[in-house]
Amino acid sequence: VVPEWDVRARLTELAKHTKALEPVLAAIRPEDWVKRGASPTYVAQAKSVRSLALHVIVSSRKLAEQPDRLSAANGRDRARAG
């Protein structure tokens, strides 16, 4: 079992590193690519990546505040799989 302080630190780092990707993701302009003939699929993919990054940031911050919820969520996932 990972100590609570370590879980907090890891989740905080995950949020920090994912947040650092935001400027990179914002710089990706698939709309410009589509104007030059690329598939519109790139626009949807870029939106999806930005949305998922935000989800990782928000979720990891919330779990860092209450790392005990992580084990509860993990137990629910195991119950569904079994």
Side-chain angles (χ1 to χ4, degrees):
V1 175
V2 180
E4 191 172 299
W5 62 267
D6 192 24
V7 172
R8 275 197 177 102
R10 290 180 188 199
L11 289 168
T12 300
E13 284 295 306
L14 177 61
K16 177 181 158 186
H17 291 297
T18 306
K19 181 87 172 146
L21 290 173
E22 285 184 329
V24 175
L25 296 175
I28 298 171
R29 313 299 277 163
E31 297 84 2
D32 296 341
W33 306 344
V34 172
K35 289 176 187 173
R36 293 186 298 236
S39 171
T41 305
Y42 290 115
V43 175
Q45 289 174 336
K47 287 179 183 178
S48 177
V49 167
R50 290 178 187 127
S51 176
L52 290 170
L54 180 61
H55 180 72
V56 168
I57 293 166
V58 171
S59 296
S60 57
R61 284 180 178 167
K62 284 182 179 179
L63 285 171
E65 292 171 5
Q66 297 179 318
D68 57 311
R69 296 193 70 193
L70 185 60
S71 61
N74 192 20
R76 283 194 306 270
D77 291 342
R78 285 188 189 147
R80 287 183 201 147

